[in-house]
Amino acid sequence: MTGAQEFERVLDGSDKNVASFEHQHVSPIKRAQHFLHSTPAAVPLIVLVLAIIIFGIALGGRFFSSYTLTLILQQIAIVGILGAAQTLVILTAGIDLSIGVIMVISAVIMGNVAITYGIPTPIAVIAGLVMGGLCGLLNGFLVAFMKLPPFIVTLGTWNIVMATNFIYSANETIRDTDVDEQAPLLHLFAASFRLGSAVLTLGVVAMVLLVLLLWYVLNHTAWGRHVYAVGDDPEAAKLSGIQAKKVLLTVYTISGIIAAFAAWVSIGRNGSISPSSAVTDYNLQAITATVIGGISLFGGRGSILGTLFGAMIVGVVSMGLNMLGADPQWKVLLTGVLIIAAVGIDQWIRKVSV
């Protein structure tokens, strides 16, 4: 005890000042960088607001009418849903080039099962969703278990699914009137309702609800945290006990199911079911919305709300230029600028000191 008391006396005479770090002045740019790093959806939201203000000034009341704004939402419903599916894949540092044709073949399956084969429409919808899930499962198996690069895998399945689509359908379009008469449920998401002076379709509601659901899952469930972890550092995720292969398999499968759901929405939007729509650049539009929405192509960073804002940015720019009577190529040019700017901002935000 004497030794302990002597030790305490020595401590009594020691310096009791606590080490501290001087707070250096943080520049506004650094503050902005930290804010954007912690709030990934902020950049696309700011760009969206600026785009609305610019076109609102240029076009006046015409652009701010409820008709114009709700029409933009109707036009981006399909791309927004596909963008949500693409977001899940890109968050794992992958990419799905086949997502557009998965949507088309799922729509063709739904139409043929319901109209050509005369099977009840609910079963036809389920058949389309199963087709989308199987295509996604194939992609996930090849990426997760065969260790093949996502770009190569989905490039290959894009060709396979597109060819299968044309072979199976014989490139025959199912007419709008046939769908209305024999399978009206396939046009469910074309139904509209009024919200004040605005007219919204169930397709728009489905897009918003899907994005909100995925936002909750990604931010408030273990699976969502695992998706981010696998995309940020797969090796570290494995060491922490996360089953990376299982996460990748489920991500691609769910992405395929969401693409099939987009097929159901697209039937309501387009009316007819055309296999030739497989050549439409739906996949490129989905990737564009995702990248402009701030989802990092390097994986592990971004908010799915940003994808919704990204789709809306493209819709606002397209509608605004159309109303101004501008050459359509200006839309292509501005989209390219926005993509490059989004990637550049993502790289800048990633350099933040945390």
Side-chain angles (χ1 to χ4, degrees):
M1 292 297 293
T2 304
Q5 291 171 351
E6 291 294 330
F7 178 72
E8 289 173 355
R9 289 195 196 97
V10 172
L11 288 178
D12 287 339
S14 63
D15 187 3
K16 295 183 175 59
N17 291 328
V18 179
S20 62
F21 297 95
E22 293 184 3
H23 292 285
Q24 298 180 350
H25 174 70
V26 180
S27 68
I29 293 179
K30 277 289 183 183
R31 289 179 184 275
Q33 195 177 17
H34 277 274
F35 171 73
L36 297 177
H37 184 272
S38 61
T39 315
V43 173
L45 179 58
I46 292 170
V47 174
L48 175 61
V49 171
L50 289 175
I52 292 174
I53 291 173
I54 291 170
F55 285 111
I57 293 172
L59 294 165
R62 284 193 303 152
F63 187 77
F64 284 118
S65 69
S66 58
Y67 171 78
T68 300
L69 296 178
T70 53
L71 183 60
I72 290 172
L73 289 174
Q74 292 174 32
Q75 290 177 342
I76 68 165
I78 300 171
V79 173
I81 294 172
L82 287 178
Q86 190 69 256
T87 297
L88 295 178
V89 176
I90 292 180
L91 283 175
T92 64
I95 196 165
D96 190 349
L97 300 179
S98 66
I99 204 166
V101 292
I102 291 176
M103 181 190 77
V104 175
I105 197 171
S106 298
V108 168
I109 292 291
M110 290 179 189
N112 277 280
V113 170
I115 296 167
T116 305
Y117 309 146
I119 296 174
T121 308
I123 297 177
V125 171
I126 293 172
L129 294 173
V130 169
M131 171 57 71
L134 289 175
C135 291
L137 183 65
L138 175 61
N139 286 334
F141 174 77
L142 293 174
V143 171
F145 291 92
M146 301 301 292
K147 304 289 187 182
L148 299 178
F151 183 90
I152 301 301
V153 166
T154 56
L155 179 63
T157 54
W158 172 68
N159 284 281
I160 293 170
V161 174
M162 183 165 63
T164 303
N165 165 60
F166 287 124
I167 293 170
Y168 168 72
S169 65
N171 203 18
E172 294 181 355
T173 299
I174 299 175
R175 298 179 304 170
D176 188 1
T177 53
D178 293 333
V179 177
D180 266 337
E181 291 174 2
Q182 300 179 50
L185 183 63
L186 293 179
H187 279 167
L188 172 65
F189 292 102
S192 61
F193 62 94
R194 284 192 169 274
L195 190 63
S197 59
V199 179
L200 297 173
T201 63
L202 292 183
V204 172
V205 175
M207 173 189 69
V208 174
L209 291 179
L210 175 67
V211 170
L212 291 177
L213 173 63
L214 291 176
W215 175 86
Y216 177 83
V217 170
L218 288 171
N219 289 278
H220 297 283
T221 67
W223 182 81
R225 291 191 291 273
H226 292 172
V227 170
Y228 278 100
V230 169
D232 188 51
D233 191 335
E235 294 304 319
K238 290 177 185 177
L239 292 175
S240 64
I242 296 173
Q243 298 180 7
K245 291 181 179 179
K246 184 177 179 181
V247 171
L248 286 173
L249 191 66
T250 55
V251 162
Y252 280 91
T253 303
I254 292 173
S255 175
I257 294 172
I258 294 174
F261 178 68
W264 191 7
V265 175
S266 73
I267 296 172
R269 172 70 183 165
N270 300 326
S272 60
I273 303 173
S274 174
S276 61
S277 61
V279 299
T280 307
D281 59 346
Y282 282 120
N283 184 63
L284 183 59
Q285 293 174 32
I287 294 175
T288 299
T290 305
V291 173
I292 293 176
I295 307 299
S296 176
L297 289 171
F298 301 98
R301 214 192 79 81
S303 169
I304 197 165
L305 294 178
T307 299
L308 178 59
F309 297 148
M312 292 176 69
I313 289 169
V314 175
V316 166
V317 170
S318 178
M319 178 64 73
L321 291 176
N322 287 341
M323 293 179 71
L324 287 171
D327 189 308
Q329 295 307 316
W330 279 105
K331 174 193 169 184
V332 180
L333 187 150
L334 287 175
T335 301
V337 171
L338 287 171
I339 291 172
I340 295 172
V343 175
I345 291 172
D346 174 63
Q347 292 282 50
W348 176 67
I349 292 173
R350 276 180 170 270
K351 294 177 182 178
V352 67
S353 301
V354 292

